[in-house]
Amino acid sequence: MSTLDTRILGTTEEEIKLAAEMILRGGLVAFPTETVYGLGADALNEEAVVKVYAAKGRPSDNPMIVHISEKSQMGMLTDEITDDMKKLMDAFWPGPLTMVALAKPEVPRVVTGGLDTVAIRMPDSKPTLDLISVSGCPLVGPSANLSGHPSPTTANHVDDDLHGRIDAIIQGPDCRVGIESTVIDMTGEIPMVLRPGIVTVKELSEALGKEVTIDPAILKKPNIAAGEGLMETDEDYKPKSPGMKYKHYAPKAEMIIFRGDPEKVRLAMAEEKMERVQFGQRVEVLVYDNEHPEQAAKEFFAKLREFDKTDVDVIFATALTEDGVGLAVMNRMFKSAGYNIREVK
Ligand code: TXA
Ligand code: MG
């Protein structure tokens, strides 16, 4: 891949216009959102979308989310806008919710990873909504990291991973949510959450006034196969969102999740830390509490990136209850730790 001169842009009108021109020429521009930074390209330009997969080193069967700036753009992507979808659009857009709908034939199959459905979201970020409006086309926007790295929550994270591989990065505020959007499949009788996020199953169910299920594969422990970063897809683990089967977010250091009564966990962590330090190891600790799972969501990926820049040997993290926002955090934490869990009795 040839090296590009990645420009860092601000959010002035001129800079957004410049970024839009890059997009319309088939270029790649990373953009801020409230969840994580995305890697933008014209969703209807197949060549540009192929370049996004290459820049990220992403497997081509992992479909991308299409970002829009106005509800009216839904019609470019799907013919089926159900009443339930309208309810969720009204309740959560712009915001950290992605809906999977039946795709129009015009949506390039390279965007959908060959599926006949398309994932759509309206992000809550003014510069990015402006970028979409000015360029006049929906944008694909996978997280702007190298495949397998933690998702980026600052423009610097994007630059660390993708410098020389993309045309520009729009530098916005650091991401306030910190983990990727909730993905919900709206194509079935009962809506199903495929990827947990800050918008919870309970909130979705309340907004719809009906039951919402959760892809059972999310809650199961997969077998992690060696090599390729792929998780083994066995009988018990067939997630409906292709991205969920990949091994993600692994830090360089070993990571251990401590689970159990908070006081006992605190003691067990302190004891094991002391032992390891005596053996000359460097230990970092992430302590989270169930009262503030949003705080854990906001900093978790950024912490992993911070640790990767040091010579830390092992990371200890406390488990949250797998419920509400805690479920979304634990979904990421389990993968980062390769399901390395210490049950504290
Ligand atoms: O918050 C977010 O969603 C961020 C920001 C940039 O918007 N984007 C993001 O994109 O996380 P990405 O590509 O890293 O994750 C997209 C997820 C993957 O797990 C993918 O498999 C799933 O959405 N997905 C995309 N299209 C799908 C479809 N048609 N059916 C099922 N899952 C789909
Ligand atoms: Mg991603």
Side-chain angles (χ1 to χ4, degrees):
M1 182 183 287
S2 63
T3 303
L4 298 168
D5 169 29
T6 306
R7 295 187 57 178
I8 309 284
L9 300 175
T11 57
T12 64
E13 217 179 304
E14 298 86 86
E15 286 164 303
I16 297 295
K17 200 163 155 250
L18 185 65
E21 282 162 10
M22 292 174 171
I23 293 282
L24 290 175
R25 281 200 302 270
L28 311 188
V29 178
F31 55 74
T33 82
E34 76 282 32
T35 57
V36 301
Y37 273 72
L39 180 54
D42 178 352
L44 304 176
N45 177 341
E46 285 190 37
E47 237 172 85
V49 176
V50 168
K51 285 202 290 184
V52 173
Y53 283 102
K56 279 181 60 73
R58 179 181 178 111
S60 61
D61 71 339
N62 190 1
M64 295 187 186
I65 295 173
V66 180
H67 295 66
I68 59 174
S69 59
E70 278 159 54
K71 288 176 190 162
S72 60
Q73 291 167 322
M74 288 288 280
M76 297 168 86
L77 305 167
T78 181
D79 286 325
E80 301 255 329
I81 307 175
T82 62
D83 288 343
D84 280 349
M85 286 166 68
K86 286 184 190 146
K87 281 186 194 163
L88 295 185
M89 281 153 66
D90 289 343
F92 298 105
W93 279 3
L97 179 71
T98 297
M99 279 190 258
V100 173
L102 281 178
K104 276 189 141 170
E106 291 82 1
V107 180
R109 286 321 188 243
V110 56
V111 170
T112 68
L115 299 173
D116 56 10
T117 55
V118 59
I120 312 168
R121 139 166 151 87
M122 189 190 293
D124 186 14
S125 158
K126 178 154 187 333
T128 297
L129 293 172
D130 289 347
L131 174 67
I132 299 167
S133 299
V134 175
S135 49
C137 53
L139 301 182
V140 290
S143 48
N145 53 301
L146 285 173
S147 207
H149 284 201
S151 292
T153 57
T154 72
N156 275 340
H157 295 163
V158 179
D159 200 46
D160 283 347
D161 274 19
L162 298 179
H163 191 91
R165 295 172 160 255
I166 62 177
D167 296 281
I169 301 168
I170 298 175
Q171 175 154 31
D174 294 353
C175 303
R176 71 179 156 77
V177 174
I179 55 171
E180 311 86 346
S181 61
T182 305
V183 177
I184 185 165
D185 182 357
M186 300 303 289
T187 62
E189 189 64 29
I190 301 171
M192 183 187 276
V193 169
L194 306 183
R195 179 174 74 181
I198 201 105
V199 176
T200 62
V201 175
K202 185 161 170 271
E203 287 169 329
L204 289 163
S205 167
E206 275 166 13
L208 289 171
K210 69 182 210 189
E211 182 199 4
V212 168
T213 56
I214 179 151
D215 183 354
I218 292 175
L219 307 170
K220 286 191 178 131
K221 176 182 164 179
N223 297 316
I224 299 167
E228 299 305 307
L230 261 179
M231 287 184 176
E232 220 169 78
T233 45
D234 59 16
E235 277 310 296
D236 292 339
Y237 192 74
K238 285 209 184 79
K240 295 190 176 49
S241 169
M244 301 299 282
K245 73 174 181 285
Y246 292 99
K247 185 171 185 283
H248 265 326
Y249 326 126
K252 290 188 194 133
E254 179 192 3
M255 185 165 168
I256 307 173
I257 298 171
F258 285 71
R259 184 159 66 182
D261 170 70
E263 188 53 26
K264 287 183 185 155
V265 160
R266 208 176 55 79
L267 285 171
M269 280 205 312
E271 200 172 308
E272 184 159 344
K273 180 172 174 177
M274 208 159 68
E275 274 169 30
R276 287 184 181 249
V277 168
Q278 274 168 1
F279 279 102
Q281 286 197 336
R282 178 162 167 189
V283 183
E284 292 281 1
V285 179
L286 295 172
V287 178
Y288 297 128
D289 72 85
N290 282 313
E291 300 297 308
H292 305 100
E294 306 81 18
Q295 187 52 37
K298 186 171 175 178
E299 70 160 45
F300 182 64
F301 286 146
K303 283 286 182 193
L304 295 188
R305 282 182 177 266
E306 195 184 304
F307 294 154
D308 272 354
K309 291 193 167 173
T310 70
D311 57 356
V312 54
D313 297 293
V314 58
I315 302 164
F316 292 169
T318 54
L320 295 174
T321 308
E322 287 165 65
D323 183 20
V325 176
L327 174 68
V329 174
M330 293 315 295
N331 171 260
R332 276 73 176 182
M333 199 190 280
F334 285 142
K335 290 194 209 175
S336 302
Y339 289 83
N340 191 7
I341 304 168
R342 184 77 39 89
E343 302 289 357
V344 180
K345 297 270 183 293

